[in-house]
Structure formats: structure tokens, C-alpha cells
Amino acid sequence: MAAVGALLALTDSASPLRGPCTLLFLLSAPAVAFAAALRGLEPYGRALSALAGSVVVNMLVAQGMLAVHRWSVHGGVVVVTLLSLLLLIPVILREQISGKCTQR
């Protein structure tokens, strides 16, 4: 559903689901990245920290885009997507490295 929101926002769809699904994407993409990075926490603390981190990422992206007078929905979705992917890359690399170490 979140990926559909990103797709609807990037294609300028006139669907009434565009707003809620895009909001779901903007909250869930960074939250999933933070939750993957915070594996050691208990589930409730992990969910709360991931959601708080997601809100912070979205606020910083919006504030940064407004500060440089480059606000756009497309730009916000793209920047949040890229930041979420950048948060996930070290987690994926760490799992790949630890997986190779345990195989030896």
C-alpha cells in the first residue's frame, strides 16, 4: 500500500487514495529502515523509535526543502526514499558480512 502511495504521488494521479497512501509511504519507508537498524531493541521500543525517527526524517526533509525554496511533492517523496535506502544499506551490508563470517 505504501509503495502504491509513492507511485500515485510520482505519477500525479487524481485518485482520492493519493494523499493517504503517500502519507503512509512517507511514514513507513523511514520507519522500516530505522526498525531494521534497531534490531537489538524490544519490539515496543523499536516501533516507537522507528516511528519517531520517521517523523524526524520527514520534518528535516520538509524543512530543508522549504529553506532552499525547492518544495515539491515529487522531490519530498524522492528524497525520503533515498534517505530510507541510505539507512538500509549499512544494515544489508552488515547482514551480508555477518552471514559470510558464520559460514566459514
Side-chain angles (χ1 to χ4, degrees), residues 55-80:
V55 170
V56 168
V57 165
N58 282 298
M59 289 176 68
L60 288 174
V61 167
Q63 185 177 4
M65 292 178 78
L66 288 170
V68 296
H69 303 288
R70 296 287 181 201
W71 172 252
S72 72
V73 174
H74 294 98
V77 170
V78 169
V79 171
V80 168

Side-chain angles (χ1 to χ4, degrees), residues 38 41-52:
L38 299 172
L41 293 178
E42 293 182 17
Y44 181 72
R46 185 176 173 181
L48 188 62
S49 298
L51 185 60

Side-chain angles (χ1 to χ4, degrees), residues 16-43:
L17 295 175
R18 177 183 173 195
C21 291
T22 303
L23 181 62
L24 178 66
F25 172 77
L26 289 174
L27 287 175
S28 65
V32 168
F34 277 117
L38 299 172
R39 283 190 314 206
L41 293 178
E42 293 182 17

